[in-house]
């Protein structure tokens, strides 16, 4: 009898064309999929995120079986479940008398290190193959990055456009410009016909998972129901169809906008499907390009959407692998404040933060501007310890896997890497939130008041952030105008700002913000 190979497939590898499967033998090898407490508890994952991942895994196991694979699947509540990847692999090796383990490279550094140690844990050969689902390999990114004085996504993005030929007219970018972001910063008005992402009613398998998660994680953050995530590739493709037809045309113009009660606006809400492997990045981008070429979407929408995927998504993955394992410990601004309790409870008078945290608790989703310019911005201004911010984002969003979440949080949102990933901190006063949303109209604080007792906390914290970090940030050319504005203020005005910021931070420590 030929030797058996165990083929582990992880929750972010739910692709039928996974690279390791192309090298495996359906007649001989066994796919291993496991739900383990080690991963469910690695972060305080949102209950809806857990239900999405476990249900998508179970549905994917069925899809693999239907395509001819023998799948060994271990549920979280199965008797004998050891609770860890390594423990379950050991049991599977014994069950199948396996002599070899083959897997596609895990997406997280921690899990890759674990897989490498399997060679020492078990008397089997362990082969790890590259993940072909990304458009830029780790080695390609390293080659692009070497000898560069600064790494900037914009230049990487242009190389990816040339490589993929997306939105290209010959050797030039379609429309004559690489980046149309300047056209994508308009606030949105309420629309009775605002498109909604696809809602998928849970089937029996998903209902079973929801029941299990509710039973095993009764105190965990996040509401479980209603649940409407797609958990199969066909439904994820239907979600893509819905976005292209109904939301992409307005996505670009309003991608930075926020409206109370409108949780999705014109966003795709496809990132969870993309990051788990239910959708392919090039597949998504080609659909957006086709919509533009067919006149069904404007260029600024197609370009802005494609840039998020082949530009930003690929870029942050390259940064992650280039900088790990030390990246998670970076804290350029020496921020040490604990994460405020209202990031979990939404119990705050700040309407914008309350809106985003409430939405996050109920849906395991917030769009990128809500994450960057509301919850991320407040944590940055208040000086919250970046690792705590990272752990919160990793836990609460269904699309969050460390390789994509960590650089976005530590690098872009918290500037903890000192400018490796982005060129400046994304710090802003309440004026930005007021301009791009309607949150301030229902707030207990006054966004127009700068230093009074009811002034928006973002206003004074913004100037306090710049003042206390001047030694580190004062030479940043993209902050030169802000520092000139600070220097032009009277001493009395600066003192008022710093005094109000001190009061805000004292109230924050006492849980009274």
């Amino acid at each position: 009898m030929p030797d058996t190979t165990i083929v582990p497939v992880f929750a972010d590898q739910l692709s039928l064309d996974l690279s390791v499967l192309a090298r495996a033998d359906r007649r001989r090898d066994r796919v291993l999929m496991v739900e383990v407490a080690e991963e469910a508890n690695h972060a305080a994952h949102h209950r809806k995120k857990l239900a999405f991942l476990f249900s998508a895994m179970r549905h994917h196991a069925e899809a693999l079986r239907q395509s001819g694979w023998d799948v060994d699947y271990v549920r979280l509540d199965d008797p004998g479940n050891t609770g860890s990847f390594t423990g379950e692999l050991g049991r599977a090796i014994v069950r199948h008398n396996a002599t070899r383990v083959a897997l596609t490279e895990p997406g997280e550094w921690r899990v890759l290190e674990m897989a490498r140690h399997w060679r020492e844990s078990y008397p089997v050969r362990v082969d790890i193959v590259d993940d072909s689902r990304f458009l830029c390999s780790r080695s390609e990114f390293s080659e692009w990055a070497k000898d560069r004085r600064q790494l900037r996504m914009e230049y990487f993005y242009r190389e990816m456009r040339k490589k993929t030929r997306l939105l290209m007219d010959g050797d030039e970018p379609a429309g004559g410009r690489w980046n149309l972001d300047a056209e994508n910063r308009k606030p949105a008005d309420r629309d009775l016909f605002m498109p909604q992402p696809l809602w998928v009613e849970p089937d029996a398998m998903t209902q079973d998972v929801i029941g299990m998660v509710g039973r095993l994680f009764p105190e965990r953050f996040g509401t479980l129901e209603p649940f409407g995530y797609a958990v199969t590739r066909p439904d994820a493709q239907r979600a893509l169809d819905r976005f292209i037809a109904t939301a992409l045309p307005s996505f670009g113009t309003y991608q930075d906008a926020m409206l109370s009660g409108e949780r999705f606006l014109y966003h795709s809400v496809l990132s969870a499907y993309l990051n788990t492997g239910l959708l392919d990045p090039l597949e998504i981008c080609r659909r957006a390009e086709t919509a533009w070429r067919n006149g069904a979407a404007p260029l600024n929408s197609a370009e802005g959407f494609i840039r998020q995927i082949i530009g930003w998504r690929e870029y942050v993955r390259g940064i992650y692998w280039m900088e790990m394992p030390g990246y998670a410990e970076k804290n350029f601004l020496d921020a040490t404040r604990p994460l405020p309790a209202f990031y979990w409870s939404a119990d705050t008078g700040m309407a914008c933060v309350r809106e985003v945290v409430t939405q996050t608790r109920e849906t395991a989703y917030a769009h990128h501007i809500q994450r960057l310019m509301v919850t991320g911005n407040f944590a940055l201004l208040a000086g919250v310890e970046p690792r705590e911010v990272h752990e919160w984002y990793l836990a609460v969003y269904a699309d969050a896997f460390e390789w994509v979440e960590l650089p976005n949080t530590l690098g872009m949102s918290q500037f903890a890497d000192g400018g490796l990933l982005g060129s400046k901190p994304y710090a802003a006063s309440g004026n930005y939130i007021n301009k791009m949303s309607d949150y301030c109209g229902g707030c207990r604080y006054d966004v127009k008041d700068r230093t009074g007792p009811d002034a928006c906390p973002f206003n004074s914290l913004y100037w306090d952030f710049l003042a206390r970090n001047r030694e580190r940030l004062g030479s940043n050319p993209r902050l030169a105008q802000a520092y000139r504005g600070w220097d032009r203020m009277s001493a009395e005005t600066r003192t008022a700002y710093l005094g109000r910021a001190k009061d805000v931070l004292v109230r924050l420590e006492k849980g009274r913000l």
Side-chain angles (χ1 to χ4, degrees):
M1 183 175 180
D3 292 340
T4 298
T5 295
I6 300 294
V7 182
V9 171
F10 301 107
D12 58 349
Q13 297 181 341
L14 308 183
S15 309
L16 291 174
D17 59 352
L18 194 67
S19 57
V20 70
L21 296 178
R23 297 166 170 80
D25 187 335
R26 283 177 171 84
R27 298 166 300 175
R28 177 192 67 205
D29 301 333
R30 301 291 183 273
V31 173
L32 176 66
M33 299 183 69
V34 297
E35 302 167 8
V36 291
E38 176 182 60
E39 291 305 302
N41 296 319
H42 172 64
H45 292 298
H46 195 299
R47 296 198 299 167
K48 193 161 282 178
K49 177 181 185 178
L50 291 175
F52 164 66
L53 292 176
F54 291 152
S55 181
M57 288 172 63
R58 293 185 189 185
H59 283 85
H60 186 64
E62 288 304 310
L64 287 169
R65 291 181 180 118
Q66 290 172 16
S67 64
W69 292 101
D70 189 335
V71 181
D72 185 350
Y73 196 97
V74 180
R75 292 171 39 135
L76 188 64
D77 55 358
D78 280 348
N81 187 328
T82 63
S84 72
F85 281 140
T86 299
E88 287 310 299
L89 177 66
R91 292 206 306 154
I93 289 170
V94 172
R95 276 197 302 273
H96 302 293
N97 195 28
T99 58
R100 177 174 172 263
V101 174
L103 64 151
T104 292
E105 180 180 76
E108 296 187 9
W109 182 87
R110 169 184 60 88
V111 181
L112 177 59
E113 286 299 293
M114 174 190 68
R116 286 171 172 162
H117 282 94
W118 289 341
R119 298 183 176 106
E120 303 165 9
S121 301
Y122 302 113
V124 294
R125 174 180 165 186
V126 177
D127 294 325
I128 302 173
V129 301
D130 289 343
D131 191 340
S132 59
R133 298 173 301 161
F134 291 90
L135 304 177
C136 180
S137 69
R138 289 170 56 184
S139 59
E140 283 180 290
F141 187 87
S142 296
E143 183 65 24
W144 174 82
K146 76 175 185 180
D147 302 327
R148 288 179 181 265
R149 188 172 62 87
Q150 286 185 321
L151 303 183
R152 292 294 174 257
M153 189 280 291
E154 179 64 26
Y155 300 111
F156 171 78
Y157 167 58
R158 295 179 186 184
E159 293 302 315
M160 296 304 293
R161 286 272 294 276
K162 294 173 185 176
K163 177 181 179 178
T164 62
R165 307 302 302 165
L166 287 163
L167 299 180
M168 296 295 293
D169 289 337
D171 294 330
E172 298 299 319
R177 289 184 291 160
W178 292 103
N179 187 322
L180 302 178
D181 197 42
E183 300 177 20
N184 297 348
R185 299 170 183 166
K186 291 185 179 179
D189 294 321
R190 294 198 175 275
D191 183 348
L192 292 175
F193 303 101
M194 190 77 74
Q196 293 296 311
L198 181 73
W199 180 274
V200 181
E201 288 297 330
D203 62 9
M205 186 179 292
T206 300
Q207 289 285 7
D208 185 54
V209 169
I210 290 171
M212 180 190 73
V213 171
R215 185 175 70 255
L216 297 181
F217 302 94
E219 305 300 323
R220 186 67 65 82
F221 176 80
T223 59
L224 262 172
E225 296 182 283
F227 184 96
Y229 277 97
V231 293
T232 66
R233 174 164 168 77
D235 281 343
Q237 289 175 311
R238 289 174 55 218
L240 172 59
D241 293 341
R242 171 77 66 89
F243 167 68
I244 295 294
T246 67
L248 178 63
S250 295
F251 165 77
T253 302
Y254 302 114
Q255 67 171 284
D256 287 4
M258 299 173 282
L259 286 175
S260 56
E262 291 290 349
R263 296 175 167 185
F264 310 110
L265 281 85
Y266 302 97
H267 289 271
S268 71
V269 199
L270 297 174
S271 52
Y273 312 144
L274 179 59
N275 292 346
T276 51
L278 295 177
L279 292 177
D280 175 79
L282 202 53
E283 162 191 31
I284 293 176
C285 291
R286 284 175 174 157
R287 287 290 305 279
E289 179 185 38
T290 298
W292 167 67
R293 293 197 182 276
N294 289 343
L299 181 58
N300 69 306
S301 286
E303 187 279 320
F305 182 67
I306 288 170
R307 177 166 20 96
Q308 288 188 350
I309 297 172
I310 70 169
W312 197 250
R313 182 175 184 266
E314 298 281 336
Y315 178 70
V316 298
R317 177 178 181 259
I319 293 287
Y320 174 83
W321 284 110
M322 189 174 71
E323 293 297 312
M324 285 300 282
Y327 196 72
E329 307 306 321
K330 290 183 180 295
N331 190 354
F332 175 72
L333 299 177
D334 289 333
T336 58
R337 192 175 303 279
L339 186 78
F342 55 67
Y343 274 70
W344 301 103
S345 68
D347 184 14
T348 173
M350 294 180 290
C352 58
V353 176
R354 184 173 65 248
E355 177 85 16
V356 175
V357 173
T358 299
Q359 170 182 325
T360 298
R361 183 174 60 208
E362 294 179 0
T363 66
Y365 171 82
H367 69 69
H368 68 286
I369 294 300
Q370 292 174 309
R371 301 188 203 193
L372 179 66
M373 300 309 299
V374 178
T375 49
N377 184 24
F378 185 85
L380 175 68
L381 299 181
V384 176
E385 206 282 321
R387 189 175 183 96
E388 290 197 29
V389 185
H390 146 60
E391 290 171 351
W392 183 78
Y393 279 104
L394 180 63
V396 301
Y397 291 116
D399 59 7
F401 292 89
E402 189 181 77
W403 67 265
V404 65
E405 174 276 324
L406 178 61
N408 269 302
T409 302
L410 261 72
M412 188 177 190
S413 173
Q414 302 304 296
F415 206 67
D417 65 5
L420 173 67
L421 185 141
S423 58
K424 74 176 183 71
Y426 279 83
S429 69
N431 182 58
Y432 175 87
I433 296 170
N434 191 39
K435 175 185 175 183
M436 296 306 302
S437 80
D438 64 353
Y439 295 156
C440 300
C443 189
R444 104 124 188 88
Y445 296 102
D446 184 357
V447 71
K448 301 297 185 182
D449 188 349
R450 299 178 180 181
T451 60
D454 293 321
C456 170
F458 284 84
N459 291 340
S460 58
L461 290 180
Y462 172 73
W463 292 111
D464 182 71
F465 168 80
L466 291 176
R468 73 174 184 266
N469 289 299
R470 187 160 197 168
E471 184 176 335
R472 298 180 180 88
L473 301 177
S475 61
N476 188 311
R478 296 194 64 188
L479 294 176
Q481 183 176 352
Y483 278 114
R484 284 196 296 270
W486 176 252
D487 291 339
R488 285 195 298 266
M489 292 180 191
S490 67
E492 181 181 17
T493 299
R494 289 197 296 266
T495 298
Y497 270 124
L498 297 181
R500 170 59 178 162
K502 182 177 180 180
D503 175 63
V504 167
L505 294 174
V506 168
R507 290 169 61 84
L508 179 65
E509 290 174 1
K510 294 181 177 180
R512 293 165 49 197
L513 202 60

